[in-house]
Amino acid sequence: MDDEVIEISDNSENSSISEMDVEMTGEQPAVDANVAAAEEIVPKDAATIAEEKKKLGNDQYKAQNYQNALKLYTDAISLCPDSAAYYGNRAACYMMLLNFNRALTDARHAIRIDPGFEKAYVRVAKCCLALGDIIGTEQAVKMVNELNSQSTAVAGEQTAVQKLRQLEATIQTNYDTKAYRNVVFYLDSALKLAPACLKYRLLKAECLAFLGRCDEALDIAVGVMKLDTTSADAIYVRGLCLYYTDNLEKGILHFERALTLDPDHYKSKQMRSKCKQLKEMKENGNMLFKSGRYREAHVIYTDALKIDEHNKDINSKLLYNRALVNTRIGNLREAVADCNRVLELNSQYLKALLLRARCYNDLEKFEESVADYETALQLEKTPEIKRLLREAKFALKKSKRKDYYKILGIGRNATDDEIKKAYRKKALVHHPDRHANSSAEERKEEELKFKEVGEAYAILSDARKKTRYDSGQDIEEQEQADFDPNQMFRSFFQFNGGGRNNSFNFEF
């Protein structure tokens, strides 16, 4: 690893190094003037200069000037490379700078020089724990106990490494069951014990990506890549973030880069395949839609949705596309259902909101249509959305009036002759005389329908009123209040050849 320091929170139990952790020289006796003069004449040897460098380093260490101390310890090592104490002191300095990899290297080198150097084993245990190396920690703890059975220097590390083993088992169980929120929770506990463990950090980043928290995941991945540009796991996580933000092409490139560094990287193989499959199906579905092959596009989009339930960004777009297809093949209710799912994934998806509003309008669910357009206007205040909202409100207002065309059973483009024929048919069906022998409740119901049929004909047979009605204007309440359905019936059959002497015989 390079010289960059891993930034982690301080953990006094694991990383704090006291002043006595560096190897101090004893108090030196006073030197008289003759000896000092002799020293100026006789050149100092390398060992003497190295010791002076170490003493100066210790002073800087105690003053917490760790970078200065680091340089002085390095100078001492270059002058006297076989001193275990110098490597031990530099290891302690690296630990204070939270550079546990460099500290571990120095502590192990000190042990190679002096296999009985207890403090070096303590430092190895602390560094291994911080890096998440459970086996390395356990081995170092064992050596400290063998060298000094009464030592308590690694008691904290011994307890911590046991907790770490338990946490790793719990993390793996939750990961296998895709309980990613739980994995993140337990990884945070593990990182308190092993703050410099890149494996834990990257596993957390992976789970954050699965949970849709790609910005957080990307920050972790990029941070690790700055420390180790050859980390296949970090590049894989970055590719995962690109994949989950619908940047499939760049995602594929990252998975391929990870496989170049580690040809056996299973997760990258799996994600590269999934990424390519989604990209191909998405493009095919879009091509089929544009060429008007809607049912084939529907099948493709449906199959693509099965590939990865965690990819909310891509799935929301696939669902929106399928909703569009459903509108083209007349499946308006299915289109609404797809839009509902889109908005569950992303409540700010404006296109899905507008499409659902349109579908509601076509389904004559005018209140729902107005509500969607109002929400859309809050997201984006455009003239087009304002116009659509006005039209939806107008349609809602019209829907609350009686539908005279529906009452007569005719279309809105019916001719005058068709309107007359429809009235004649409906009036005969609902005329009170025809239901004289029915129950009181049935007679009342038929009378109401007879009146509505008359109202409908009175409006639609009058050019002025029909124009006002078709344009959505209200018909004057006074005109409706004064309306007499029986008079309408008699007038109609009188002027339309309904029978002799203004009477009509029903055909039962």
Side-chain angles (χ1 to χ4, degrees):
M1 182 175 288
D2 56 27
D3 290 333
E4 188 163 350
V5 174
I6 302 171
E7 294 186 5
I8 55 176
S9 59
D10 184 32
N11 186 325
S12 59
E13 182 178 289
N14 297 328
S15 61
S16 178
I17 310 297
S18 68
E19 292 179 3
M20 296 304 294
D21 279 328
V22 293
E23 307 306 314
M24 303 291 185
T25 52
E27 187 176 331
Q28 300 297 316
V31 179
D32 60 32
N34 293 330
V35 173
E39 286 181 349
E40 290 180 1
I41 297 172
V42 180
K44 298 177 182 178
D45 59 18
T48 301
I49 298 172
E51 191 64 21
E52 289 177 354
K53 293 282 187 182
K54 187 193 82 168
K55 288 171 62 180
L56 291 172
N58 291 348
D59 292 338
Q60 292 297 312
Y61 184 95
K62 285 188 287 184
Q64 299 182 2
N65 298 324
Y66 300 117
Q67 289 290 356
N68 292 340
L70 189 66
K71 183 180 183 306
L72 290 163
Y73 291 144
T74 300
D75 291 344
I77 288 171
S78 64
L79 292 165
C80 193
D82 295 326
S83 171
Y86 296 169
Y87 282 100
N89 282 12
R90 192 169 71 173
C93 199
Y94 274 129
M95 289 173 71
M96 297 307 297
L97 291 169
L98 306 180
N99 193 336
F100 295 102
N101 280 292
R102 288 293 183 104
L104 183 60
T105 299
D106 275 355
R108 283 177 170 163
H109 193 84
I111 289 170
R112 283 194 292 273
I113 296 172
D114 180 4
F117 194 173
E118 181 184 340
K119 280 188 178 179
Y121 286 108
V122 171
R123 287 168 188 150
V124 168
K126 291 181 181 294
C127 290
C128 285
L129 180 63
L131 293 166
D133 181 356
I134 291 177
I135 294 176
T137 305
E138 291 174 337
Q139 290 175 342
V141 168
K142 181 181 177 183
M143 287 303 301
V144 171
N145 291 332
E146 287 180 0
L147 289 170
N148 182 2
S149 60
Q150 303 301 315
S151 176
T152 59
V154 289
E157 284 66 35
Q158 191 167 7
T159 300
V161 81
Q162 291 172 353
K163 291 180 181 177
L164 208 54
R165 274 199 179 279
Q166 294 171 355
L167 281 168
E168 281 200 352
T170 304
I171 288 166
Q172 189 62 51
T173 299
N174 280 277
Y175 183 88
D176 291 342
T177 57
K178 299 183 179 181
Y180 299 122
R181 292 185 190 281
N182 292 344
V183 175
V184 171
F185 174 79
Y186 290 115
L187 278 169
D188 283 339
S189 297
L191 283 165
K192 289 178 181 178
L193 298 171
C197 182
L198 300 187
K199 179 180 73 173
Y200 294 163
R201 290 170 67 184
L202 288 171
L203 184 57
K204 177 181 177 180
E206 180 185 9
C207 293
L208 288 172
F210 287 146
L211 293 169
R213 295 160 62 181
C214 290
D215 289 343
E216 297 171 68
L218 190 60
D219 285 344
I220 295 173
V222 171
V224 173
M225 288 173 70
K226 288 179 180 178
L227 298 173
D228 181 5
T229 57
T230 63
S231 171
D233 285 336
I235 294 169
Y236 155 76
V237 170
R238 191 176 185 187
L240 204 61
C241 293
L242 291 165
Y243 164 75
Y244 279 118
T245 52
D246 196 16
N247 198 333
L248 299 179
E249 290 186 6
K250 286 188 177 181
I252 292 170
L253 292 175
H254 276 71
F255 298 135
E256 290 178 344
R257 171 61 178 159
L259 286 167
T260 300
L261 294 168
D262 180 4
D264 296 323
H265 201 277
Y266 173 74
K267 291 179 180 178
S268 289
K269 284 183 182 178
Q270 190 179 42
M271 288 308 304
R272 180 182 62 177
S273 175
K274 187 179 289 188
C275 212
K276 286 183 175 180
Q277 188 181 8
L278 255 180
K279 182 175 180 290
E280 181 180 351
M281 294 183 77
K282 187 179 175 186
E283 290 173 351
N284 286 344
N286 294 348
M287 181 271 293
L288 290 168
F289 178 83
K290 290 175 182 177
S291 61
R293 296 157 67 182
Y294 301 124
R295 296 192 181 278
E296 293 176 67
H298 189 283
V299 172
I300 292 290
Y301 289 138
T302 301
D303 289 341
L305 284 163
K306 299 173 184 176
I307 293 176
D308 187 354
E309 63 181 9
H310 296 291
N311 200 326
K312 294 181 179 180
D313 198 359
I314 289 180
N315 287 348
S316 62
K317 292 174 183 176
L318 290 170
L319 284 164
Y320 172 74
N321 288 354
R322 192 173 71 175
L324 276 177
V325 169
N326 277 319
T327 63
R328 299 300 173 88
I329 60 180
N331 294 337
L332 294 180
R333 287 181 174 79
E334 289 81 354
V336 169
D338 281 342
C339 289
N340 288 342
R341 289 182 61 189
V342 172
L343 293 166
E344 286 172 5
L345 295 173
N346 179 6
S347 61
Q348 308 293 304
Y349 203 126
L350 183 60
K351 286 184 177 180
L353 194 61
L354 292 172
L355 180 60
R356 188 174 71 176
R358 194 180 83 198
C359 291
Y360 277 142
N361 184 76
D362 293 343
L363 290 166
E364 298 185 359
K365 293 186 175 183
F366 301 113
E367 291 185 357
E368 290 88 342
S369 180
V370 168
D372 274 355
Y373 281 129
E374 286 177 338
T375 302
L377 191 61
Q378 291 175 0
L379 295 177
E380 190 173 305
K381 291 179 171 59
T382 66
E384 176 65 12
I385 295 177
K386 289 178 181 178
R387 180 186 66 79
L388 291 169
L389 177 58
R390 285 196 304 271
E391 291 177 355
K393 286 182 175 180
F394 182 64
L396 174 60
K397 180 180 178 182
K398 287 174 64 176
S399 73
K400 294 183 180 297
R401 303 178 308 166
K402 291 179 182 178
D403 188 340
Y404 291 135
Y405 289 100
K406 188 174 182 180
I407 289 171
L408 292 181
I410 55 176
R412 292 186 174 271
N413 296 321
T415 63
D416 291 343
D417 190 49
E418 288 172 335
I419 292 171
K420 289 177 182 178
K421 287 180 179 179
Y423 171 69
R424 182 179 188 280
K425 179 180 177 182
K426 293 284 185 179
L428 292 176
V429 170
H430 300 296
H431 194 284
D433 289 352
R434 186 165 188 159
H435 302 279
N437 297 325
S438 300
S439 67
E441 185 177 345
E442 289 174 334
R443 287 198 306 272
K444 185 176 180 180
E445 184 179 347
E446 291 300 327
E447 285 173 7
L448 179 59
K449 290 180 179 178
F450 180 67
K451 182 180 179 182
E452 288 180 340
V453 167
E455 284 179 6
Y457 180 69
I459 299 300
L460 300 182
S461 62
D462 184 305
R464 182 184 64 83
K465 293 178 182 178
K466 182 176 184 296
T467 299
R468 288 174 59 82
Y469 177 78
D470 287 343
S471 65
Q473 297 181 53
D474 293 326
I475 305 300
E476 287 78 356
E477 292 183 5
Q478 186 61 40
E479 291 183 21
Q480 292 175 296
D482 294 341
F483 174 74
D484 183 346
N486 291 302
Q487 178 62 39
M488 170 63 69
F489 183 82
R490 286 192 296 271
S491 297
F492 178 85
F493 283 101
Q494 178 181 1
F495 293 111
N496 291 278
R500 293 179 189 172
N501 302 320
N502 299 330
S503 64
F504 180 79
N505 296 319
F506 288 103
E507 296 178 1
F508 292 96

